Amino acid sequence: MQVLGLLDWLIIAVVLVGIVLTGLYLARRGSENVESYFISGRSLPWYIAGTSMLATEFASDTPLWITNLVRQYGIHYVWQYWAILIGAVLAAVYFGRLWRRLSIVTDVEMLEVRYSGRMAGVLRGWSGALMVAFACPLFSAWVTKAMVITSQQTMGLPPEYSLVLTAIVIAAAILLCTLSGLFGVVYTDFFLFFIATIGTVVFAWMSVNAVGGLDAMVTQLQGMEQWQGNSLSILPSIGSGFGQMSVWNAIGYFCILWIVLANSGGARAQRLLACRDTEQASLSMLMFAIIYYGALAWPWIIVALCSLILLPDLGVADQAAAYPQMIVTVLPAGLRGLLVAALMAAFVSTMSTIFNWGSSYVVNDIYKRFVRPQASPRSLLMVARAATVLIGVFGAVISFWAEDIQQLLSIHFVVASAGVVIIALRWLWWRMNAAGELAGVITMWALSALLLFGKVFDGAATAALGLAPGVEFSADPNLLGARMVFVTGTVTLVSVLVALCTAPTDMGLLRQFAHKARPFALFWQPVIRTMTGDYQEIESIGRTLLSWVIGLVAVVSLLFGIGELLLGDAGMGIVWMAIFCVATWWSVRRIREDFIKEQACL
């Protein structure tokens, strides 16, 4: 079935060619040395870094995932996505600044800045290798999976041709990344994000028109007795009923998963490290939190709601495919091409980030650190480009193997949550050491493999939790939070015990780390007492907690304000928006005050 016309294909071609030309234009500036290739010479302003984070997270899989959640359970289940905003705001007011103060190249490099001895080197190499071999390909896999689904549904292509088209788009991302490094990635992200956002907003508007307007949409949805989300409630619904978020999952999302984003490792750390200073890093993270969690999901949600009216008969396995099917159903020629190009833009921005981020580990934390410490900038760039291609291939293999996007996300949620506490303890507790963290990392991967693939804990969990026959602890979607609690608790316990039973990190290195990063003084007193001069906290615990609350009010008020304006009481929506404006102004002001204090202290 041919669903795209000549104009559509021309729009798609223009976007792809524009991506490659951008890489060529920025090739010289982005390939001067390792710092320019991986962290843009630490020159990014907040709006470029923030937009790049937005473009990276707005992947081609995200609208499909949100559509699946809304169609199956209702808007309230999107808190699986929204819950992480808690950590995004904490990163904006605290952890993001700590990363920037270290002035390193990758988050893994921090391990030898924070820990001492041979064990720290082993931990750095091990962590870098695992990120390259598992995390980066996994991330690229679920994004690739979504791109294949989109191309099949919107272009009428058989599976083999969809794979070819996806490979062409991946090739564009690889060219962008290999030619110009992070410079090309972030500045292309700036434009790709606007293409993607405009496309999805237009799509949502035309979807609403197709069902007769917002009022007609709300009336029809509320009359769907068989759909669990017919109340159109935005608040999370927690319980044991069908369509509700289980208590275990609520614990996992609201108590554990958000800490992953608060720690801000990986690609987010790369953007923060590339900012001009800590003020720009904080503002970029605040911008990301407000737009991504407060506003960006609403166009996807609206399309998902309209799809329930226009495409009511899709099977359970096809719920995610409703989003690309709506493109064909709602949009005319030309606009179809714009929306497909928008999703491709989101795909390219995410993939190019993953490629650049993954290759930074290969170069900075494996090749340069352990293989050729004296390697020339030219040889390092060659290794980076080769690593980019390999990561793309590994991701494609995992994508072919995986059943669906939700399966990959569930694996990621369990593995990512396992080490969140020990990663936070790097900053917050002086006594955490390399031996403790390495023990935690080994436990994390071994435990996750035994739990998710070996299913060795199913029997014990059935007895301990009183599970019904046929309910698997290792796979049941309502027990995802229980799996997260299990691995997080076990890994944290092992790490802390090993750290306490082994020698602490060298005190001289700890003093250097504390002087540079300026963590909270409360759990660093044994180190601070050995430092010459007064130790000045740049952010106190009390001030940080207040800034955190203000930032949360800003994001949540925007989320509820847009929701009320679209689906509920317009007057209440205006009140929420007024609260958002005040809280955002106050957050920005406090960030700038903290930066002025930092300049005086450092």
Side-chain angles (χ1 to χ4, degrees):
M1 179 179 64
Q2 182 68 32
V3 296
L4 295 184
L6 178 60
L7 179 59
D8 298 313
W9 285 108
L10 286 175
I11 293 172
I12 293 169
V14 167
V15 171
L16 292 178
V17 171
I19 291 168
V20 176
L21 291 178
T22 301
L24 288 170
Y25 178 75
L26 295 171
R28 173 177 289 185
R29 189 177 181 189
S31 302
E32 293 174 355
N33 51 47
V34 170
E35 283 209 355
S36 68
Y37 193 83
F38 291 129
I39 51 174
S40 299
R42 305 192 198 281
S43 64
L44 298 185
W46 63 271
Y47 54 90
I48 294 293
T51 305
S52 182
M53 284 190 276
L54 286 166
T56 298
E57 296 295 333
F58 179 2
S60 56
D61 66 296
T62 319
L64 277 66
W65 176 44
I66 297 298
T67 299
N68 181 53
L69 296 179
V70 172
R71 285 182 62 93
Q72 289 201 58
Y73 308 111
I75 301 173
H76 63 269
Y77 219 80
V78 181
W79 281 98
Q80 188 176 124
Y81 163 95
W82 281 325
I84 310 176
L85 69 87
I86 303 170
V89 176
L90 184 56
V93 301
Y94 185 65
F95 285 106
R97 305 171 190 179
L98 302 187
W99 280 115
R100 182 58 187 85
R101 287 176 196 145
L102 291 183
S103 297
I104 51 182
V105 175
T106 68
D107 59 329
V108 171
E109 184 181 348
M110 178 223 188
L111 296 170
E112 287 195 294
V113 175
R114 171 64 175 81
Y115 302 132
S116 58
R118 181 176 297 177
M119 191 77 72
V122 173
L123 180 60
R124 179 180 176 182
W126 173 262
S127 299
L130 284 175
M131 294 299 288
V132 172
F134 179 79
C136 294
L138 179 64
F139 295 156
S140 66
W142 74 57
V143 180
T144 302
K145 193 80 174 177
M147 193 66 237
V148 171
I149 294 172
T150 299
S151 62
Q152 288 176 356
Q153 298 295 331
T154 60
M155 302 178 189
L157 298 174
E160 60 272 19
Y161 289 106
S162 295
L163 290 173
V164 171
L165 179 63
T166 303
I168 292 172
V169 181
I170 290 176
I174 291 175
L175 280 172
L176 169 68
C177 185
T178 55
L179 287 171
S180 56
L182 192 63
F183 264 116
V185 172
V186 297
Y187 282 97
T188 305
D189 280 350
F190 188 77
F191 296 106
L192 293 183
F193 175 71
F194 285 103
I195 293 173
T197 303
I198 291 170
T200 53
V201 170
V202 170
F203 185 24
W205 175 65
M206 295 201 68
S207 297
V208 170
N209 285 342
V211 298
L214 283 174
D215 292 339
M217 180 190 76
V218 170
T219 300
Q220 292 178 76
L221 291 170
Q222 290 175 338
M224 292 183 177
E225 297 181 359
Q226 300 302 315
W227 179 50
Q228 298 299 313
N230 61 10
S231 67
L232 300 181
S233 173
I234 304 173
L235 292 171
S237 177
I238 301 170
S240 57
F242 181 77
Q244 289 185 301
M245 182 184 293
S246 69
V247 175
W248 278 117
N249 284 0
I251 293 172
Y253 296 139
F254 290 101
C255 299
I256 297 176
L257 193 61
W258 63 264
I259 307 175
V260 176
L261 196 54
N263 288 328
S264 291
R268 279 179 290 273
Q270 186 185 37
R271 298 301 188 276
L272 296 169
L273 288 163
C275 288
R276 292 174 183 168
D277 51 46
T278 56
E279 180 186 29
Q280 302 297 303
S282 286
L283 290 173
S284 70
M285 200 69 203
L286 181 65
M287 172 188 173
F288 167 76
I290 288 173
I291 296 177
Y292 190 71
Y293 294 104
L296 201 58
W298 279 110
W300 310 330
I301 292 171
I302 291 298
V303 173
L305 293 174
C306 293
S307 75
L308 286 164
I309 300 170
L310 299 176
L311 304 171
D313 299 324
L314 295 181
V316 175
D318 298 322
Q319 297 299 309
Y323 192 87
Q325 284 191 32
M326 283 287 288
I327 297 175
V328 179
T329 303
V330 170
L331 298 180
L335 285 180
R336 288 180 188 173
L338 175 64
L339 204 285
V340 173
L343 292 177
M344 284 187 175
F347 177 70
V348 169
S349 64
T350 302
M351 295 298 285
S352 58
T353 290
I354 293 171
F355 295 155
N356 185 267
W357 166 46
S359 63
S360 71
Y361 293 130
V362 174
V363 172
N364 191 66
D365 303 302
I366 299 175
Y367 186 76
K368 183 181 178 183
R369 173 62 180 82
F370 297 103
V371 181
R372 289 188 63 189
Q374 305 302 320
S376 67
R378 180 184 177 85
S379 63
L380 292 176
L381 290 174
M382 290 177 64
V383 172
R385 287 164 175 154
T388 295
V389 177
L390 290 176
I391 291 169
V393 172
F394 290 158
V397 171
I398 295 176
S399 174
F400 179 77
W401 163 80
E403 294 177 6
D404 54 44
I405 298 168
Q406 188 65 44
Q407 180 195 38
L408 294 170
L409 283 171
S410 297
I411 294 171
H412 167 63
F413 285 169
V414 172
V415 176
S417 65
V420 293
V421 176
I422 59 174
I423 293 174
L425 289 177
R426 296 175 187 170
W427 306 102
L428 302 177
W429 186 42
W430 77 278
R431 193 58 180 79
M432 178 54 67
N433 61 15
E437 183 156 343
L438 183 60
V441 169
I442 294 171
T443 303
M444 174 182 73
W445 289 102
L447 196 65
S448 298
L450 292 172
L451 169 65
L452 298 175
F453 304 108
K455 302 182 182 296
V456 300
F457 301 106
D458 281 5
T462 298
L465 301 177
L467 302 180
V471 176
E472 293 186 337
F473 176 66
S474 59
D476 189 275
N478 290 320
L479 294 174
L480 175 59
R483 296 192 288 274
M484 292 163 62
V485 170
F486 173 62
V487 296
T488 302
T490 304
V491 168
T492 302
L493 180 63
V494 169
S495 295
V496 171
L497 288 176
V498 172
L500 291 173
C501 293
T502 53
T505 301
D506 176 74
M507 190 59 70
L509 184 65
L510 289 175
R511 284 195 294 267
Q512 292 176 18
F513 179 84
H515 179 74
K516 200 168 190 178
R518 298 299 175 99
F520 294 138
L522 181 62
F523 297 109
W524 282 78
Q525 288 300 322
V527 177
I528 292 171
R529 285 194 290 267
T530 69
M531 298 174 70
T532 58
D534 294 333
Y535 179 83
Q536 290 184 289
E537 284 183 323
I538 296 172
E539 305 91 3
S540 67
I541 293 179
R543 181 176 176 83
T544 299
L545 289 176
L546 180 57
S547 296
W548 190 12
V549 170
I550 296 168
L552 288 174
V553 170
V555 179
V556 173
S557 59
L558 178 62
L559 190 162
F560 279 95
I562 295 175
E564 290 289 350
L565 290 172
L566 290 173
L567 305 173
D569 183 347
M572 196 63 219
I574 293 172
V575 172
W576 278 116
M577 297 303 286
I579 296 172
F580 159 70
C581 292
V582 174
T584 301
W585 169 81
W586 197 2
S587 293
V588 172
R589 179 179 176 179
R590 291 175 69 85
I591 287 172
R592 288 174 174 164
E593 290 171 350
D594 290 341
F595 182 67
I596 291 171
K597 181 179 179 181
E598 176 183 312
Q599 294 299 99
C601 292
L602 297 182

